[in-house]
Amino acid sequence: MGCRVSIGKASPPSHGGRISAFRHSNPDAPTPVLDLSTGINPFAYPVPALPAHVWSALPDPDDLATLERIAAEQYGVADASRVVAAPGSQCLIGLLPLCLGGRNRIVNVVGPTYAEHAASWVLHGHRVVQTCRFPDPDQKSEASISIVCNPNNPDGTRYTLSDLRILSDRMADQKGWLIVDEAFADFEKGIQSIGTIQHSAAIALRSFGKAYGLAGLRLGFAILPPDHADFLRRILGPWPVSGAAITIARAALTDHAWQQATMARLEAAAERLDRLLISKGFEILGGTSLFRLTCHPDNMMIHDRLNKAGIMTRRFDWDDRLFRFGLPKSNRDWNRLDHALS
């Protein structure tokens, strides 16, 4: 893939986690399928017992406001009115073109990265250009929207808060926006959210589900200027997330002991995965605390072995040499991966 690519209308992006499709393609593979394709935290937050009214009553707006205040504290945002809860960061990616408005924008996506960003803006009629380098603030650009993932999915590239602030300033000068997808930032040391600087032209997206291993809960947050936050709330409607999501997330986001223990656990697991993959001939190209991007000289053989062993990894249509591995959870999972690659 070149360093500058225009992205037009195409079929919907592919994703990991499609276990039923994997079973259909590999009917003889052992079960259960070991899904290492998603980058979701395998050490999920322990869900507390939930009161009956969480399921029977409509979510309380005051409880939702409390969740957003807690999220603001967790992400270092001084003004909680800038934090908007939604049913997953994917939902927010789809709504941002509507929320930010404008017609026939030029959108610069730094990639390769999570493909839904480009797909969403193309769907709304904008021109999307993917570049492989972080925008140079000293070079003139036609783009009024810049999108980066920090850390990037799938290679783990990181950007400093200083660089993101400078790019935000440039986008503000062009009456545009910088969108920073921080879906994998929660357990990454040294990454500061763009939301902490409360910039008038910067938006951050956070994924609760990936970080806390509860992707099925469907919960994410946008951090954006108050006027646009209010507009986004109106788009989402009066009950944007479930009472269960509100209750569980309020507990998880304030459980700092669990967060610290999980960060150490993820770091150890990622180092263990590096050792295993390197011993099997893989080259580690990058990653985060939740996944590793790799390549292997005999990629087709490895792909066949993993499929026959019932192990899903993330592949990429733009480079079939690559494998992205999530973290195994149990010793049984580790042994299964080791055996499949031996």
Side-chain angles (χ1 to χ4, degrees):
M1 180 174 287
C3 197
R4 182 179 174 87
V5 179
S6 292
I7 299 177
K9 292 184 179 180
S11 57
S14 61
H15 297 288
R18 299 185 61 199
I19 294 177
S20 295
F22 180 86
R23 286 175 174 162
H24 181 75
S25 300
N26 302 276
D28 297 326
T31 56
V33 173
L34 174 54
D35 185 6
L36 303 180
S37 68
T38 65
I40 296 167
N41 186 348
F43 311 120
Y45 185 77
V47 175
L50 300 179
H53 73 81
V54 163
W55 305 109
S56 60
L58 289 171
D60 190 304
D62 289 343
D63 291 340
L64 178 61
T66 298
L67 170 61
E68 290 173 342
R69 287 196 296 272
I70 291 171
E73 292 177 8
Q74 177 70 13
Y75 302 137
V77 181
D79 181 1
S81 71
R82 302 172 71 98
V83 178
V84 179
S89 58
Q90 173 57 51
C91 170
L92 293 165
I93 290 170
L95 290 178
L96 280 181
L98 177 62
C99 180
L100 299 183
R103 300 181 64 184
N104 302 317
R105 289 183 182 271
I106 298 176
V107 181
N108 178 53
V109 179
V110 180
T113 192
Y114 185 59
E116 291 289 349
H117 287 287
S120 177
W121 287 91
V122 168
L123 182 64
H124 285 82
H126 303 281
R127 178 188 168 199
V128 176
V129 177
Q130 178 176 285
T131 56
C132 64
R133 297 187 185 91
F134 190 80
D136 185 344
D138 294 327
Q139 291 187 353
K140 186 177 180 180
S141 172
E142 297 178 313
S144 63
I145 303 287
S146 286
I147 301 174
V148 300
C149 293
N150 190 34
N152 189 46
N153 171 21
D155 65 4
T157 298
R158 301 172 178 222
Y159 305 99
T160 67
L161 187 58
S162 175
D163 286 340
L164 294 172
R165 185 197 300 267
I166 292 170
L167 183 55
S168 299
D169 290 340
R170 191 182 82 178
M171 300 313 298
D173 291 341
Q174 297 177 201
K175 296 181 171 55
W177 294 88
L178 170 62
I179 299 169
V180 184
D181 185 340
E182 300 172 346
F184 290 98
D186 283 62
F187 294 109
E188 295 299 304
K189 293 179 179 178
I191 287 187
Q192 291 179 278
S193 173
I194 189 69
T196 61
I197 65 174
Q198 304 193 150
H199 199 288
S200 63
I203 296 172
L205 302 178
R206 304 291 295 219
S207 171
F208 176 85
K210 287 186 183 70
Y212 289 82
L214 299 173
L217 201 63
R218 306 313 305 143
L219 178 63
F221 299 93
I223 306 169
L224 66 172
D227 288 348
H228 286 81
D230 289 342
F231 183 43
L232 179 57
R233 287 190 179 94
R234 292 198 295 273
I235 294 173
L236 287 164
W239 305 289
V241 296
S242 69
I246 292 171
T247 303
I248 294 168
R250 285 173 60 175
L253 291 171
T254 55
D255 193 340
H256 302 301
W258 181 88
Q259 293 165 15
Q260 290 297 319
T262 299
M263 180 178 288
R265 193 175 185 186
L266 290 171
E267 184 176 352
E271 291 175 354
R272 180 178 179 181
L273 183 60
D274 285 346
R275 293 193 298 271
L276 172 61
L277 294 175
I278 290 171
S279 74
K280 307 300 182 183
F282 287 85
E283 179 184 356
I284 309 297
L285 301 177
T288 71
S289 59
L290 291 173
F291 62 79
R292 287 295 192 259
L293 181 68
T294 71
C295 66
H296 193 281
D298 198 345
N299 59 299
M300 295 306 297
M301 178 270 291
I302 292 294
H303 183 58
D304 184 60
R305 281 187 183 179
L306 291 168
N307 284 350
K308 289 180 177 177
I311 300 175
M312 294 173 60
T313 59
R314 183 72 169 90
R315 306 299 306 282
F316 301 94
D317 55 11
W318 41 271
D319 191 337
D320 63 8
R321 299 170 300 172
L322 301 179
F323 297 82
R324 194 191 69 186
F325 287 85
L327 303 177
K329 178 180 180 180
S330 65
N331 283 331
R332 179 181 178 182
D333 293 342
W334 284 103
N335 291 335
R336 187 171 169 185
L337 178 60
D338 190 350
H339 179 74
L341 296 176
S342 296

